[in-house]
Amino acid sequence: MKTVNAYAAKAAGNQLEAYTYELPELDREHVDIKVHYCGLCHSDVSMIKNDWGMTQYPLVPGHEIVGEVIAVGDNVKYLKVGDKVGMGWHSESCMNCNQCMDGKQHLCGTVESTIVGRHGGFADTVRGHWSWVTLLPEGIELSKAGPLFCGGITVFSPIVISNVKPTDKVGVIGIGGLGHLAIKFLKAWGCEVTAFSSSPDKKERILKMGAHHVVNSKVPEDLEDIAGTLDFILNTTNVNLDWNSYLSTLAPQGKLHTVGAVLEPMEIPAFSMISGEKSVGGSPLGSIALTRTMLEFCVRHEIYPTIETFDMKDVNAALEHLEKGKARFRIVLKA
């Protein structure tokens, strides 16, 4: 047995408090990670509040984990004690279904999520199956790597699965924790990037991130000016918008792709898609292999989230900062 010191919510919406629990003896397929850094994500807030109706309490949040391997099971492949690693939203999958065998482990029907039915990374130690514990590439900035395991792969995956080309003109809706990373990725990909923002005061900052254009999404005329020009739009917001206005900015055969967890039904007029052979799609995170590729891409192009750092003991202050919309643009907790 191993004693873990963590921070947990004991009931829906509660502040986090010090919490200790025991991990069973390490089995042959798992590794233990000493947590050095853990990102704070809106998904953690949703789980703390039980917004999705699947939280089990007490809950130790945290799924953007960076740390060091401190113990390995006998059957663990390629990892050893002392390795610097990361682990994200998923911590295990069955490795025998068609999705797993096809390299799409994140689509496994029984995939285990790091903070669903088990405890996550707001702790000194976290455990995961070796296949989902990713060895970090040399040269990566450890303090900024955590958010790449959720926010990063969430916006990197659609670029790959939608076959976005370097010659494409693309748009990003919502320039927050996800959107600012999407801009950085798409700029490095070679695309001409248009950022949709409802905050005009962010314009200069957004341009510095790498966007070529900033469109005020609250001004219909600004959307009309780019009608029919974009090949791909990535939505990172979790609120319902006038989707038809964005569909109108797509070129023929363009795609609107959402990674924002919009809880209300999205109203998509059929003729807005039919007339230009346009499509609407969505995706969760990404596969194990694609996560590795993303990390290498980040090191090559020096792409990292813009972060603010809090000590782990100040987790409640960090949560309040995030919920008030003050985060610029991702929060990382230092263990």
Side-chain angles (χ1 to χ4, degrees):
M1 301 286 283
K2 180 175 181 57
T3 301
V4 177
N5 299 303
Y7 290 90
K10 299 291 184 67
N14 276 21
Q15 284 206 328
L16 272 59
E17 55 187 273
Y19 174 68
T20 301
Y21 71 96
E22 302 290 332
L23 280 172
E25 292 300 319
L26 189 67
D27 68 23
R28 301 180 69 193
E29 295 284 331
H30 288 78
V31 304
D32 282 343
I33 304 166
K34 179 181 179 181
V35 178
H36 292 329
Y37 300 96
C38 189
L40 172 56
C41 175
H42 272 287
S43 297
D44 293 309
V45 176
S46 295
M47 287 294 293
I48 291 168
K49 294 182 175 181
N50 198 22
D51 288 342
W52 300 331
M54 60 183 183
T55 305
Q56 298 176 35
Y57 299 97
L59 165 73
V60 177
H63 60 276
E64 297 180 341
I65 300 155
V66 167
E68 179 180 343
V69 175
I70 55 173
V72 299
D74 293 340
N75 272 1
V76 168
K77 310 295 191 297
Y78 97 100
L79 292 172
K80 64 183 184 302
V81 171
D83 282 343
K84 300 299 190 297
V85 295
M87 189 171 75
W89 180 257
H90 296 312
S91 49
E92 188 164 359
S93 54
C94 76
M95 293 301 175
N96 62 62
C97 68
N98 286 350
Q99 286 72 35
C100 283
M101 298 306 290
D102 196 34
K104 300 181 178 68
Q105 302 90 347
H106 61 300
L107 301 179
C108 173
T110 59
V111 66
E112 177 185 86
S113 298
T114 302
I115 59 172
V116 180
R118 47 154 288 161
H119 294 317
F122 290 2
D124 58 9
T125 307
V126 69
R127 179 170 292 177
H129 190 272
W130 67 265
S131 60
W132 280 98
V133 176
T134 302
L135 186 66
L136 295 174
E138 286 191 22
I140 198 166
E141 291 190 38
L142 294 182
S143 64
K144 297 180 180 179
L148 296 173
F149 282 88
C150 181
I153 188 61
T154 295
V155 296
F156 187 83
S157 180
I159 300 171
V160 176
I161 65 177
S162 298
N163 295 313
V164 174
K165 300 185 293 295
T167 53
D168 282 347
K169 296 180 178 180
V170 302
V172 178
I173 305 172
I175 316 305
L178 293 175
H180 90 289
L181 275 170
I183 289 174
K184 294 179 181 185
F185 282 137
L186 289 163
K187 172 69 180 301
W189 207 259
C191 300
E192 181 178 319
V193 184
T194 295
F196 295 100
S197 176
S198 59
S199 303
D201 59 313
K202 286 185 180 180
K203 182 175 181 178
E204 290 306 315
R205 178 176 285 185
I206 293 170
L207 291 172
K208 287 180 180 178
M209 291 175 192
H212 299 89
H213 316 284
V214 180
V215 170
N216 189 333
S217 55
K218 290 184 176 180
V219 180
E221 292 78 12
D222 286 2
L223 295 174
E224 292 170 6
D225 286 344
I226 60 169
T229 64
L230 301 179
D231 302 294
F232 175 79
I233 298 174
L234 182 63
N235 171 55
T236 69
T237 67
N238 60 1
V239 295
N240 224 339
L241 301 173
D242 180 3
W243 304 112
N244 194 45
S245 295
Y246 292 100
L247 288 171
S248 71
T249 69
L250 287 174
Q253 297 188 323
K255 181 176 183 179
L256 171 65
H257 191 101
T258 187
V259 295
V262 183
L263 297 180
E264 300 84 6
M266 297 172 66
E267 294 187 10
I268 306 292
F271 278 106
S272 293
M273 293 189 294
I274 291 171
S275 59
E277 295 183 8
K278 301 172 185 178
S279 61
V280 176
S283 61
L285 294 92
S287 70
I288 296 169
L290 189 57
T291 299
R292 294 175 180 175
T293 298
M294 174 203 65
L295 293 172
E296 292 170 359
F297 187 81
C298 288
V299 172
R300 186 183 312 146
H301 294 281
E302 296 187 4
I303 295 173
Y304 294 99
T306 301
I307 67 166
E308 297 177 89
T309 304
F310 288 73
D311 288 337
M312 185 74 74
K313 63 182 176 60
D314 297 323
V315 60
N316 288 307
L319 282 164
E320 182 180 4
H321 189 69
L322 177 63
E323 290 193 78
K324 287 183 175 179
K326 294 181 178 180
R328 295 293 181 270
F329 283 90
R330 301 290 290 196
I331 292 174
V332 172
L333 301 174
K334 185 178 185 298

